PDB file of all heavy atoms in Angstrom:
ATOM      1  N   ARG A  87     -45.248  11.599 -35.403  1.00 94.00           N
ATOM      2  CA  ARG A  87     -43.969  10.912 -35.558  1.00 94.00           C
ATOM      3  C   ARG A  87     -44.178   9.683 -36.444  1.00 94.00           C
ATOM      4  O   ARG A  87     -45.279   9.155 -36.496  1.00 94.00           O
ATOM      5  CB  ARG A  87     -43.361  10.558 -34.216  1.00 94.00           C
ATOM      6  CG  ARG A  87     -44.224   9.809 -33.306  1.00 94.00           C
ATOM      7  CD  ARG A  87     -44.099  10.183 -31.819  1.00 94.00           C
ATOM      8  NE  ARG A  87     -45.007   9.344 -31.075  1.00 94.00           N
ATOM      9  CZ  ARG A  87     -46.288   9.619 -30.896  1.00 94.00           C
ATOM     10  NH1 ARG A  87     -46.809  10.706 -31.361  1.00 94.00           N
ATOM     11  NH2 ARG A  87     -47.052   8.781 -30.253  1.00 94.00           N
ATOM     12  N   PHE A  88     -43.112   9.263 -37.129  1.00 91.00           N
ATOM     13  CA  PHE A  88     -43.268   8.185 -38.097  1.00 91.00           C
ATOM     14  C   PHE A  88     -42.012   7.343 -38.213  1.00 91.00           C
ATOM     15  O   PHE A  88     -40.929   7.746 -37.803  1.00 91.00           O
ATOM     16  CB  PHE A  88     -43.636   8.749 -39.473  1.00 91.00           C
ATOM     17  CG  PHE A  88     -42.516   9.510 -40.124  1.00 91.00           C
ATOM     18  CD1 PHE A  88     -41.618   8.884 -40.962  1.00 91.00           C
ATOM     19  CD2 PHE A  88     -42.353  10.863 -39.884  1.00 91.00           C
ATOM     20  CE1 PHE A  88     -40.577   9.583 -41.564  1.00 91.00           C
ATOM     21  CE2 PHE A  88     -41.321  11.576 -40.480  1.00 91.00           C
ATOM     22  CZ  PHE A  88     -40.434  10.928 -41.320  1.00 91.00           C
ATOM     23  N   LYS A  89     -42.195   6.168 -38.832  1.00 93.00           N
ATOM     24  CA  LYS A  89     -41.117   5.291 -39.279  1.00 93.00           C
ATOM     25  C   LYS A  89     -41.469   4.898 -40.703  1.00 93.00           C
ATOM     26  O   LYS A  89     -42.586   4.458 -40.960  1.00 93.00           O
ATOM     27  CB  LYS A  89     -41.028   4.027 -38.420  1.00 93.00           C
ATOM     28  CG  LYS A  89     -40.629   4.251 -37.005  1.00 93.00           C
ATOM     29  CD  LYS A  89     -40.378   2.986 -36.201  1.00 93.00           C
ATOM     30  CE  LYS A  89     -41.160   1.779 -36.603  1.00 93.00           C
ATOM     31  NZ  LYS A  89     -40.941   0.595 -35.783  1.00 93.00           N
ATOM     32  N   ILE A  90     -40.525   5.069 -41.634  1.00 86.00           N
ATOM     33  CA  ILE A  90     -40.768   4.675 -43.019  1.00 86.00           C
ATOM     34  C   ILE A  90     -39.534   3.981 -43.588  1.00 86.00           C
ATOM     35  O   ILE A  90     -38.425   4.161 -43.101  1.00 86.00           O
ATOM     36  CB  ILE A  90     -41.146   5.878 -43.918  1.00 86.00           C
ATOM     37  CG1 ILE A  90     -40.065   6.965 -43.896  1.00 86.00           C
ATOM     38  CG2 ILE A  90     -42.500   6.439 -43.552  1.00 86.00           C
ATOM     39  CD1 ILE A  90     -40.311   8.108 -44.870  1.00 86.00           C
ATOM     40  N   LEU A  91     -39.765   3.219 -44.626  1.00 85.00           N
ATOM     41  CA  LEU A  91     -38.702   2.539 -45.365  1.00 85.00           C
ATOM     42  C   LEU A  91     -38.645   3.153 -46.753  1.00 85.00           C
ATOM     43  O   LEU A  91     -39.646   3.164 -47.477  1.00 85.00           O
ATOM     44  CB  LEU A  91     -39.004   1.041 -45.457  1.00 85.00           C
ATOM     45  CG  LEU A  91     -38.007   0.171 -46.198  1.00 85.00           C
ATOM     46  CD1 LEU A  91     -36.664   0.157 -45.481  1.00 85.00           C
ATOM     47  CD2 LEU A  91     -38.546  -1.247 -46.330  1.00 85.00           C
ATOM     48  N   ILE A  92     -37.483   3.722 -47.118  1.00 80.00           N
ATOM     49  CA  ILE A  92     -37.280   4.304 -48.441  1.00 80.00           C
ATOM     50  C   ILE A  92     -36.023   3.691 -49.034  1.00 80.00           C
ATOM     51  O   ILE A  92     -34.945   3.812 -48.459  1.00 80.00           O
ATOM     52  CB  ILE A  92     -37.107   5.848 -48.379  1.00 80.00           C
ATOM     53  CG1 ILE A  92     -38.323   6.509 -47.741  1.00 80.00           C
ATOM     54  CG2 ILE A  92     -36.850   6.407 -49.774  1.00 80.00           C
ATOM     55  CD1 ILE A  92     -38.154   8.009 -47.535  1.00 80.00           C
ATOM     56  N   ASN A  93     -36.166   3.017 -50.171  1.00 78.00           N
ATOM     57  CA  ASN A  93     -35.021   2.403 -50.859  1.00 78.00           C
ATOM     58  C   ASN A  93     -34.129   1.616 -49.903  1.00 78.00           C
ATOM     59  O   ASN A  93     -32.921   1.825 -49.843  1.00 78.00           O
ATOM     60  CB  ASN A  93     -34.213   3.465 -51.606  1.00 78.00           C
ATOM     61  CG  ASN A  93     -35.014   4.121 -52.704  1.00 78.00           C
ATOM     62  OD1 ASN A  93     -35.886   3.500 -53.291  1.00 78.00           O
ATOM     63  ND2 ASN A  93     -34.724   5.379 -52.973  1.00 78.00           N
ATOM     64  N   ASN A  94     -34.712   0.733 -49.139  1.00 85.00           N
ATOM     65  CA  ASN A  94     -34.023  -0.144 -48.188  1.00 85.00           C
ATOM     66  C   ASN A  94     -33.322   0.591 -47.042  1.00 85.00           C
ATOM     67  O   ASN A  94     -32.444   0.033 -46.401  1.00 85.00           O
ATOM     68  CB  ASN A  94     -33.025  -1.056 -48.913  1.00 85.00           C
ATOM     69  CG  ASN A  94     -33.732  -2.002 -49.861  1.00 85.00           C
ATOM     70  OD1 ASN A  94     -34.771  -2.558 -49.527  1.00 85.00           O
ATOM     71  ND2 ASN A  94     -33.185  -2.164 -51.049  1.00 85.00           N
ATOM     72  N   SER A  95     -33.670   1.839 -46.796  1.00 86.00           N
ATOM     73  CA  SER A  95     -33.150   2.587 -45.646  1.00 86.00           C
ATOM     74  C   SER A  95     -34.318   2.917 -44.725  1.00 86.00           C
ATOM     75  O   SER A  95     -35.395   3.289 -45.185  1.00 86.00           O
ATOM     76  CB  SER A  95     -32.480   3.893 -46.091  1.00 86.00           C
ATOM     77  OG  SER A  95     -31.326   3.619 -46.841  1.00 86.00           O
ATOM     78  N   HIS A  96     -34.068   2.781 -43.434  1.00 91.00           N
ATOM     79  CA  HIS A  96     -35.099   3.038 -42.426  1.00 91.00           C
ATOM     80  C   HIS A  96     -34.962   4.463 -41.891  1.00 91.00           C
ATOM     81  O   HIS A  96     -33.853   4.885 -41.555  1.00 91.00           O
ATOM     82  CB  HIS A  96     -34.967   2.046 -41.272  1.00 91.00           C
ATOM     83  CG  HIS A  96     -35.166   0.628 -41.698  1.00 91.00           C
ATOM     84  ND1 HIS A  96     -34.141  -0.151 -42.185  1.00 91.00           N
ATOM     85  CD2 HIS A  96     -36.276  -0.146 -41.723  1.00 91.00           C
ATOM     86  CE1 HIS A  96     -34.604  -1.351 -42.485  1.00 91.00           C
ATOM     87  NE2 HIS A  96     -35.903  -1.371 -42.223  1.00 91.00           N
ATOM     88  N   TYR A  97     -36.076   5.179 -41.822  1.00 89.00           N
ATOM     89  CA  TYR A  97     -36.091   6.550 -41.330  1.00 89.00           C
ATOM     90  C   TYR A  97     -37.095   6.681 -40.196  1.00 89.00           C
ATOM     91  O   TYR A  97     -38.191   6.116 -40.257  1.00 89.00           O
ATOM     92  CB  TYR A  97     -36.501   7.533 -42.443  1.00 89.00           C
ATOM     93  CG  TYR A  97     -35.496   7.648 -43.550  1.00 89.00           C
ATOM     94  CD1 TYR A  97     -35.529   6.773 -44.632  1.00 89.00           C
ATOM     95  CD2 TYR A  97     -34.511   8.621 -43.521  1.00 89.00           C
ATOM     96  CE1 TYR A  97     -34.608   6.880 -45.655  1.00 89.00           C
ATOM     97  CE2 TYR A  97     -33.576   8.732 -44.538  1.00 89.00           C
ATOM     98  CZ  TYR A  97     -33.633   7.856 -45.607  1.00 89.00           C
ATOM     99  OH  TYR A  97     -32.712   7.959 -46.615  1.00 89.00           O
ATOM    100  N   ASN A  98     -36.713   7.446 -39.181  1.00 93.00           N
ATOM    101  CA  ASN A  98     -37.615   7.864 -38.123  1.00 93.00           C
ATOM    102  C   ASN A  98     -37.721   9.377 -38.224  1.00 93.00           C
ATOM    103  O   ASN A  98     -36.751  10.044 -38.590  1.00 93.00           O
ATOM    104  CB  ASN A  98     -37.065   7.504 -36.733  1.00 93.00           C
ATOM    105  CG  ASN A  98     -36.916   6.011 -36.545  1.00 93.00           C
ATOM    106  OD1 ASN A  98     -37.641   5.225 -37.125  1.00 93.00           O
ATOM    107  ND2 ASN A  98     -35.951   5.622 -35.733  1.00 93.00           N
ATOM    108  N   GLY A  99     -38.872   9.930 -37.893  1.00 92.00           N
ATOM    109  CA  GLY A  99     -39.011  11.372 -37.973  1.00 92.00           C
ATOM    110  C   GLY A  99     -40.142  11.884 -37.119  1.00 92.00           C
ATOM    111  O   GLY A  99     -40.948  11.106 -36.593  1.00 92.00           O
ATOM    112  N   LYS A 100     -40.187  13.207 -36.985  1.00 95.00           N
ATOM    113  CA  LYS A 100     -41.263  13.838 -36.226  1.00 95.00           C
ATOM    114  C   LYS A 100     -41.363  15.297 -36.637  1.00 95.00           C
ATOM    115  O   LYS A 100     -40.453  15.857 -37.260  1.00 95.00           O
ATOM    116  CB  LYS A 100     -41.024  13.724 -34.724  1.00 95.00           C
ATOM    117  CG  LYS A 100     -39.764  14.417 -34.232  1.00 95.00           C
ATOM    118  CD  LYS A 100     -39.584  14.207 -32.755  1.00 95.00           C
ATOM    119  CE  LYS A 100     -38.303  14.898 -32.283  1.00 95.00           C
ATOM    120  NZ  LYS A 100     -38.147  14.777 -30.847  1.00 95.00           N
ATOM    121  N   GLY A 101     -42.476  15.912 -36.277  1.00 94.00           N
ATOM    122  CA  GLY A 101     -42.708  17.311 -36.565  1.00 94.00           C
ATOM    123  C   GLY A 101     -44.027  17.750 -35.963  1.00 94.00           C
ATOM    124  O   GLY A 101     -44.813  16.923 -35.492  1.00 94.00           O
ATOM    125  N   ASP A 102     -44.276  19.063 -35.983  1.00 95.00           N
ATOM    126  CA  ASP A 102     -45.553  19.560 -35.477  1.00 95.00           C
ATOM    127  C   ASP A 102     -46.697  19.033 -36.329  1.00 95.00           C
ATOM    128  O   ASP A 102     -47.746  18.652 -35.822  1.00 95.00           O
ATOM    129  CB  ASP A 102     -45.575  21.093 -35.476  1.00 95.00           C
ATOM    130  CG  ASP A 102     -44.577  21.684 -34.487  1.00 95.00           C
ATOM    131  OD1 ASP A 102     -44.130  20.966 -33.570  1.00 95.00           O
ATOM    132  OD2 ASP A 102     -44.232  22.868 -34.642  1.00 95.00           O
ATOM    133  N   THR A 103     -46.479  18.998 -37.647  1.00 96.00           N
ATOM    134  CA  THR A 103     -47.478  18.482 -38.581  1.00 96.00           C
ATOM    135  C   THR A 103     -46.777  17.617 -39.613  1.00 96.00           C
ATOM    136  O   THR A 103     -45.710  17.955 -40.099  1.00 96.00           O
ATOM    137  CB  THR A 103     -48.206  19.637 -39.313  1.00 96.00           C
ATOM    138  OG1 THR A 103     -48.793  20.498 -38.345  1.00 96.00           O
ATOM    139  CG2 THR A 103     -49.287  19.114 -40.232  1.00 96.00           C
ATOM    140  N   LEU A 104     -47.395  16.491 -39.929  1.00 95.00           N
ATOM    141  CA  LEU A 104     -46.881  15.603 -40.960  1.00 95.00           C
ATOM    142  C   LEU A 104     -47.997  15.378 -41.962  1.00 95.00           C
ATOM    143  O   LEU A 104     -49.098  14.986 -41.589  1.00 95.00           O
ATOM    144  CB  LEU A 104     -46.445  14.264 -40.377  1.00 95.00           C
ATOM    145  CG  LEU A 104     -46.067  13.245 -41.446  1.00 95.00           C
ATOM    146  CD1 LEU A 104     -44.570  13.139 -41.564  1.00 95.00           C
ATOM    147  CD2 LEU A 104     -46.667  11.913 -41.149  1.00 95.00           C
ATOM    148  N   THR A 105     -47.715  15.658 -43.232  1.00 95.00           N
ATOM    149  CA  THR A 105     -48.678  15.432 -44.301  1.00 95.00           C
ATOM    150  C   THR A 105     -48.116  14.361 -45.223  1.00 95.00           C
ATOM    151  O   THR A 105     -46.966  14.447 -45.653  1.00 95.00           O
ATOM    152  CB  THR A 105     -48.927  16.737 -45.091  1.00 95.00           C
ATOM    153  OG1 THR A 105     -49.380  17.738 -44.182  1.00 95.00           O
ATOM    154  CG2 THR A 105     -49.966  16.524 -46.179  1.00 95.00           C
TER     155      THR A 105
END
Side-chain angles (χ1 to χ4, degrees):
R87 53 217 180 275
F88 69 91
K89 294 187 330 182
I90 57 174
L91 180 64
I92 301 175
N93 296 329
N94 296 318
S95 294
H96 298 87
Y97 293 87
N98 297 331
K100 62 182 179 177
D102 294 341
T103 303
L104 173 102
T105 303

